[in-house]
Amino acid sequence: MKKYSIYLLTGLRILVGWHFLYEGIAKLMTPGWSAKLYLLGSRWVFSDVFHRMAESDAIMKIVDFMNIWGLILVGISLFLGLLTRWSSIAGALLLFFYFVAYPPIPGYTFGTVMEGSYVWVNKTLIEFFILLVFAFIPFGFLFGVDRLLKSWKEEKANAPVPLEKNETSSLQRREVLRNLISVPFLGAFAYAAYKKQRWDSYEEKFLNTGETDAVSGATLKSFNFSSLDDLKGEIPKGKIGDLDFSRLIMGGNLIGGWAHSRDLIYVSRLVKEYHSDERVIMTLQLAERCGVDSIITNPSLGRIMNKYWHETGGKIKFISDCGYGKGFLEGIEKSQEVGASAMYCQGGIADRMAQNNDFETIQKGVDLIRSYGKPAGIGAHKIETIQGCVERGIKPDFWVKTLHHHNYWSAQPNAEQHDNMFCFKPTETIKFMNQLEEPWIAFKVLAAGAISPQEGFKFAFDNGADFICVGMYDFQIVEDCNMVVDSLANVNRIRPWRG
């Protein structure tokens, strides 16, 4: 058993060394590699320390140097079995910092690339304990240069009675070969690293030619995501009731999977496949860090909102559209149960009730929301719904109304509606909404992606909207925030700001 254990432990040491060495070489060969973004992404109890390190250029030079060459030297040492004890301690120290920066604790893993599902224990922690074992294992239990040197020293010190010459030479050769068992693996590593470098060069050659027909999120080599460093400024806030809301509110359709896509029937499913719980929470975190402090979505997503609040400590406010179960009133009860900050009657539901002259239920809903101490709103796609509520004296705390122009090719105002228009009378909407004193959240300001954000945001703010609700993927958030800041800096509106 002892003989086989030595081979198994030596193999384990070589594998860990392979991992360390390649991690270091990959970083060394990546132009401009830095651990800065990695440190800035840390969120656990020591995150402030890592963030301060990342903010110092001088410290980052030291950190990057120690990361790259620490990984390389530890990897070579473990490969050869040379100074194994000290390299194991050094490697364990590196792994300890990696683990502390990104522990696999629920609520602290969002935004990290993970190869599997972990709770508390991940491969970093496992390798950490493996290296601790190597740090305390005697040299005799591992083949390598350390064992070879130890044997030579002992032979010189003890000077035993020599064996027959041929027998002695044979034993020495076998011992040397065992302790140099890692040499073939080192050759295999060099070959694998060479092939990987050749493939990366091949990919880069074709991906950077500039000859692609289009750039999409799938072509990662040529797609640049904006970072938080690109933010132009803080998004102004307004009030609805006693609550502050950013002028830009996140729309829940994208993360909920209800995607308006005209004739593209696969898009809703594609959105749902993209937005796992982790992706939704990462998107909410990014939005909150960019200054977007609220989201409009359905009470059925209360589960993910509560998960976000509980696991991340996030404070993003949830405005519920109350579209749930049998109707508006049941949706209010569900929204209260899941912790909505404000509630309103979803536009499609309000339009149907107005068409059926059921304004009594709308008023009951507004009163019920207020009984919970929450701001109460009314939504609509049709301006006639808002007009009907005003005529009957129904006075909510805020309105949620579609607003966009018809200057895009698929609008076709005189044709049958096919998921292509959401504000049917923009001129009448602007004129009537500008007379109202309650805050107005405009939604579908981009006509579900038919209008550019620069144009749609400015059109909404210029024409009286106090807030805009926009569905955003994670990679659009920084850019959208900057466009809102630009729009508000150059706003040209007649209606006074409400809220």
Side-chain angles (χ1 to χ4, degrees):
M1 281 299 297
K2 179 181 177 182
K3 177 182 176 182
Y4 293 123
S5 297
I6 293 175
Y7 281 106
L8 290 173
L9 287 171
T10 302
L12 182 60
R13 189 201 69 213
I14 291 172
L15 292 177
V16 175
W18 182 304
H19 184 209
F20 267 73
L21 182 56
Y22 188 74
E23 286 282 358
I25 289 176
K27 291 172 175 56
L28 181 65
M29 299 299 291
T30 302
W33 179 87
S34 176
K36 181 175 181 177
L37 293 179
Y38 180 84
L39 295 177
L40 287 173
S42 177
R43 294 186 47 259
W44 199 40
V45 292
F46 298 107
S47 59
D48 288 343
V49 176
F50 294 122
H51 292 170
R52 284 196 292 270
M53 291 169 63
E55 290 166 0
S56 170
D57 292 337
I59 292 176
M60 283 311 305
K61 287 180 181 179
I62 298 172
V63 170
D64 291 342
F65 180 85
M66 292 180 66
N67 263 280
I68 293 172
W69 289 105
L71 290 167
I72 290 174
L73 293 175
V74 169
I76 292 174
S77 175
L78 293 173
F79 240 120
L80 298 177
L82 176 63
L83 301 175
T84 304
R85 180 162 296 160
W86 293 108
S87 63
S88 295
I89 293 172
L93 189 61
L94 276 174
L95 292 174
F96 174 77
F97 283 116
Y98 297 156
F99 184 83
V100 169
Y102 287 87
I105 299 172
Y108 295 97
T109 58
F110 303 111
T112 64
V113 178
M114 302 179 70
E115 297 175 1
S117 301
Y118 301 111
V119 177
W120 290 95
V121 177
N122 60 7
K123 69 177 184 182
T124 302
L125 188 64
I126 293 170
E127 282 193 345
F128 170 78
F129 278 100
I130 290 173
L131 290 183
L132 287 184
V133 170
F134 288 148
F136 291 98
I137 284 182
F139 293 147
F141 282 87
L142 294 166
F143 291 125
V145 177
D146 286 333
R147 175 181 163 121
L148 190 60
L149 294 174
K150 183 175 182 292
S151 298
W152 284 345
K153 288 179 181 178
E154 287 177 350
E155 285 178 9
K156 282 187 176 182
N158 297 328
V161 177
L163 300 168
E164 291 292 332
K165 185 175 181 180
N166 291 339
E167 188 178 353
T168 301
S169 299
S170 178
L171 288 172
Q172 287 176 341
R173 283 196 300 271
R174 284 199 295 269
E175 181 64 17
V176 170
L177 289 173
R178 289 192 192 102
N179 288 309
L180 295 180
I181 194 173
S182 62
V183 173
F185 290 97
L186 197 58
F189 173 86
Y191 177 75
Y194 169 74
K195 294 293 285 184
K196 179 67 166 61
Q197 191 272 335
R198 286 287 301 273
W199 173 248
D200 288 345
S201 299
Y202 179 82
E203 277 192 309
E204 187 175 359
K205 175 183 176 182
F206 287 95
L207 287 169
N208 291 335
T209 59
E211 297 176 358
T212 51
D213 295 325
V215 176
S216 71
T219 54
L220 294 177
K221 287 282 187 179
S222 52
F223 190 84
N224 294 318
F225 291 91
S226 298
S227 70
L228 292 171
D229 293 337
D230 297 326
L231 285 172
K232 292 184 177 180
E234 187 175 348
I235 298 173
K237 295 182 182 292
K239 275 190 176 295
I240 296 178
D242 295 329
L243 299 176
D244 290 324
F245 292 93
S246 54
R247 297 286 184 193
L248 173 62
I249 296 172
M250 175 173 279
N253 275 19
L254 284 180
I255 65 172
W258 304 288
H260 293 282
S261 50
R262 296 167 174 80
D263 294 336
L264 303 178
I265 60 175
Y266 61 86
V267 173
S268 288
R269 182 175 177 184
L270 179 63
V271 170
K272 289 179 181 178
E273 293 293 332
Y274 181 78
H275 282 113
S276 61
D277 279 7
E278 182 174 271
R279 176 70 67 174
V280 171
I281 290 176
M282 287 166 54
T283 304
L284 293 173
Q285 283 183 307
L286 178 58
E288 196 163 0
R289 289 188 67 181
C290 290
V292 179
D293 63 5
S294 47
I295 179 172
I296 292 179
T297 192
N298 190 268
S300 62
L301 287 179
R303 175 193 64 82
I304 193 68
M305 294 305 302
N306 278 270
K307 185 175 182 180
Y308 174 72
W309 295 325
H310 176 71
E311 295 191 359
T312 71
K315 305 296 183 185
I316 200 164
K317 292 182 281 291
F318 168 29
I319 304 174
S320 174
D321 64 16
C322 299
Y324 186 83
K326 297 179 181 179
F328 182 31
L329 300 182
E330 185 177 348
I332 294 170
E333 300 290 356
K334 182 63 177 180
S335 301
Q336 174 64 15
E337 179 185 330
V338 298
S341 301
M343 308 174 212
Y344 75 99
C345 185
Q346 192 263 355
I349 296 174
D351 288 340
R352 286 194 295 273
M353 288 194 291
Q355 188 173 356
N356 296 329
N357 203 32
D358 186 12
F359 291 95
E360 183 180 354
T361 301
I362 296 177
Q363 181 66 70
K364 284 182 179 178
V366 170
D367 294 339
L368 180 59
I369 295 169
R370 285 177 174 153
S371 72
Y372 290 126
K374 308 290 176 66
I378 298 173
H381 296 85
K382 300 177 179 179
I383 190 59
E384 292 82 0
T385 300
I386 306 291
Q387 291 169 336
C389 290
V390 171
E391 289 170 5
R392 289 160 179 79
I394 302 174
K395 195 175 179 66
D397 298 304
F398 63 98
W399 303 98
V400 184
K401 174 67 179 71
T402 52
L403 178 64
H404 61 75
H405 59 66
H406 291 168
N407 188 25
Y408 57 95
W409 72 269
S410 63
Q412 303 178 29
N414 298 321
E416 184 180 353
Q417 205 274 334
H418 288 290
D419 197 35
N420 60 328
M421 287 196 308
F422 311 92
C423 181
F424 305 103
K425 300 177 180 179
T427 302
E428 189 174 340
T429 294
I430 294 166
K431 182 178 179 181
F432 188 80
M433 296 301 293
N434 280 349
Q435 302 172 19
L436 303 180
E437 297 180 354
E438 297 80 30
W440 168 24
I441 301 173
F443 72 108
K444 289 293 185 290
V445 297
L446 307 182
I451 300 170
S452 71
Q454 298 96 323
E455 185 180 351
F457 294 173
K458 184 166 176 55
F459 181 83
F461 284 127
D462 282 354
N463 287 292
D466 300 292
F467 306 86
I468 58 172
C469 174
V470 182
M472 295 177 281
Y473 286 99
D474 47 1
F475 53 83
Q476 297 171 319
I477 291 174
V478 172
E479 188 177 7
D480 283 352
C481 289
N482 285 337
M483 285 186 280
V484 166
V485 170
D486 289 341
S487 297
L488 291 173
N490 299 285
V491 71
N492 181 24
R493 58 191 279 137
I494 298 174
R495 183 175 184 252
W497 289 103
R498 305 296 185 185

